[in-house]
Amino acid sequence: ALFAARGYRQVTVREICTAADANVAAVNYHFGDKQGLYRDVLDEAIAIMRQTSQEAERAGENRSPEERLRSYIRVFLQRARGGGAPWIHPLMTHELAEPTEALDAVIAQVIEPRTRYLQRVVADMLGVAVEDDRVLRCVMSVQAQFQTAMTNPVLTRLVPGFTGDPASLERLAQHIADFSVGGIRSLQATDTTSDV
């Protein structure tokens, strides 16, 4: 909870031990040091994020590329907003803003696999090779929309009625999917020589 609220650098082992009613020596014994403890927390976050990715991919098995994208978006939003681990998003926000050595593991085990999966889906939708420049740009555009659904002060001010309940998440997932599919379809007829 403390790492999620303030990030790795702004939390001391003593504060963690006070909150957990634990002895500082126990952290050193079980984790080696603060970095070992943080890495253990991050490993748990990685495991949960990987489960989300796997569930999203399973939801799209044996479906058309468009249906795979829609399933991915729906499952991702349901798990990210209502998956029982609300501490992960703020923890990752801090990790991305002030990276530690552990960021490499997040990229290798979560971000790259998700990106590769979505690249295959988008490439299939466009009918092009995964290496086509448009593919990664589309993937980044889809993923950027997820950030608007995460709990943050901007979202609560701009959309005060958005509570993250299942019905509003389903509406948001539908919108992101419709918007993304429409954008991807619009690129099917565009020239691939642009390097922008």
Side-chain angles (χ1 to χ4, degrees):
L2 290 171
F3 284 143
R6 299 187 351 231
Y8 173 77
R9 290 180 179 82
Q10 302 305 316
V11 177
T12 67
V13 171
R14 190 164 303 283
E15 288 174 309
I16 293 169
C17 290
T18 299
D21 195 26
N23 190 306
V24 173
V27 170
N28 295 332
Y29 178 78
H30 291 289
F31 303 102
D33 56 13
K34 176 181 162 184
Q35 187 172 3
L37 174 60
Y38 179 73
R39 184 53 199 262
D40 202 60
V41 169
L42 208 57
D43 284 347
E44 184 177 343
I46 287 170
I48 293 169
M49 290 186 288
R50 290 182 67 179
Q51 289 172 353
T52 297
S53 298
Q54 292 162 0
E55 186 178 326
E57 290 182 33
R58 276 195 303 273
E61 284 178 354
N62 303 315
R63 296 182 176 213
S64 70
E66 180 179 322
E67 290 169 332
R68 291 197 322 257
L69 180 62
R70 289 180 180 280
S71 295
Y72 186 93
I73 291 168
R74 185 175 56 257
V75 170
F76 182 87
L77 287 179
Q78 289 169 347
R79 295 269 311 212
R81 276 302 299 246
W87 55 273
I88 292 178
H89 180 69
L91 178 76
M92 293 311 305
T93 299
H94 284 294
E95 179 61 32
L96 293 174
E98 294 185 75
T100 68
E101 294 174 7
L103 181 60
D104 289 339
V106 174
I107 292 171
Q109 296 179 46
V110 179
I111 297 173
E112 286 179 347
R114 283 181 179 174
T115 301
R116 283 194 302 271
Y117 174 76
L118 288 174
Q119 283 178 294
R120 292 191 302 272
V121 171
V122 170
D124 287 347
M125 290 177 71
L126 288 172
V128 299
V130 172
E131 297 78 20
D132 187 294
D133 289 343
R134 294 171 293 177
V135 172
L136 185 56
R137 287 196 297 262
C138 286
V139 169
M140 290 187 300
S141 296
V142 171
Q143 290 179 321
Q145 293 176 81
F146 294 150
Q147 296 309 310
T148 63
M150 300 301 133
T151 302
N152 63 68
V154 174
L155 176 67
T156 55
R157 284 174 175 80
L158 290 179
V159 191
F162 182 77
T163 60
D165 64 282
S168 63
L169 281 178
E170 183 59 35
R171 287 192 301 273
L172 181 59
Q174 183 69 40
H175 168 76
I176 291 174
D178 289 344
F179 192 82
S180 299
V181 168
I184 292 167
R185 283 182 181 158
S186 76
L187 295 176
Q188 286 175 316
T190 62
D191 185 281
T192 63
T193 58
S194 173
D195 59 359
V196 177

